[in-house]
Amino acid sequence: MFLLRDGPSGGGCPYAGNPHDGSGSDPSGTGPWGSPGKKGWEGDDTILVPIDFSSDSLEAARQAIDSAAAMGTTVLLLHVIHDPAGVLDAGYDAKKARKRFHRLRDEAADRMAETIREQGLNHRAQRAGIKLKTTFARGEPTRCILDVAAKKAANLIVMGCSGLGGISSNWMEPVAGWMGSTAERVVQLASAPVLVVKDRA
């Protein structure tokens, strides 16, 4: 594992939000929060963990929870529905595009809930005395990770060094497997420190 910190991020990620609070961005594609600023260690005391359901990303979640116990922070698990070219919007008006994303997000949320339960992450968080939350986004993974980190003023990004070995050919499949080169780009562009971990099991 290694810890690195580099320059500020930029860009936007459509439709980021939590399925339980009904949040989401303007479907125009300009990004939900505008241009993120560099907030460093200030803000919401959040550790952001991108999850693609690979073993490395799950190890990142476990290490993030353990680190949060010492730091007194919240752990936010982020899953990105991989749609870099805006395929989900093709041929749809704004309202239909939003409904389409919400359906896919609900599928991803079901997978996330199942993974949290199977991996015992909720119990781990309870023992650590910290909050464990989830959020979802649609777009290019690096861009979405940087945007959510900026929006939440993340203290730290913890992510796996590799993913499932490629993007699913079915764009509706919530298991994206987009880690790997994404981690390298996040390390280069993130405002917050980035901890990259590998599952050695």
Side-chain angles (χ1 to χ4, degrees):
M1 69 181 68
F2 53 92
L3 178 64
L4 291 175
R5 183 172 185 172
D6 209 68
S9 62
C13 177
Y15 298 108
N18 188 313
H20 303 297
D21 64 17
S23 63
S25 70
D26 185 332
S28 63
T30 56
W33 307 295
S35 298
K38 185 174 181 180
K39 298 184 180 179
W41 290 91
E42 301 174 359
D44 299 333
D45 292 329
T46 297
I47 297 178
L48 179 65
V49 185
I51 295 287
D52 69 348
F53 306 114
S54 64
S55 61
D56 281 0
S57 71
L58 296 177
E59 176 62 18
R62 289 188 287 267
Q63 292 199 25
I65 292 171
D66 293 345
S67 297
M71 298 169 62
T73 59
T74 294
V75 172
L76 179 64
L77 306 181
L78 165 67
H79 180 73
V80 178
I81 297 171
H82 191 272
D83 181 36
V87 173
L88 300 184
D89 289 341
Y92 289 83
D93 62 27
K95 184 176 181 180
K96 289 182 178 179
R98 183 182 291 275
K99 288 179 66 176
R100 190 175 183 86
F101 169 73
H102 285 172
R103 177 170 58 82
L104 295 176
R105 187 181 62 181
D106 288 345
E107 293 176 7
D110 289 342
R111 178 63 187 271
M112 180 76 85
E114 178 184 1
T115 299
I116 289 173
R117 182 174 59 254
E118 290 179 349
Q119 297 295 319
L121 298 180
N122 265 334
H123 294 302
R124 196 183 193 102
Q126 289 172 0
R127 290 195 303 269
I130 59 99
K131 294 180 180 179
L132 181 66
K133 298 181 179 181
T134 62
T135 193
F136 301 84
R138 183 270 291 170
E140 195 281 315
T142 301
R143 186 180 182 186
C144 290
I145 292 167
L146 296 174
D147 278 1
V148 174
K151 165 65 177 177
K152 300 298 183 181
N155 301 82
L156 178 67
I157 301 171
V158 183
M159 60 190 302
C161 68
S162 63
L164 295 173
I167 303 305
S168 171
S169 59
N170 179 2
W171 57 263
M172 293 181 66
E173 173 57 60
V175 181
W178 36 253
M179 219 69 79
S181 59
T182 299
E184 182 178 356
R185 291 192 293 272
V186 171
V187 165
Q188 293 171 347
L189 298 173
S191 298
V194 182
L195 177 63
V196 181
V197 303
K198 183 176 180 61
D199 182 13
R200 301 187 180 278

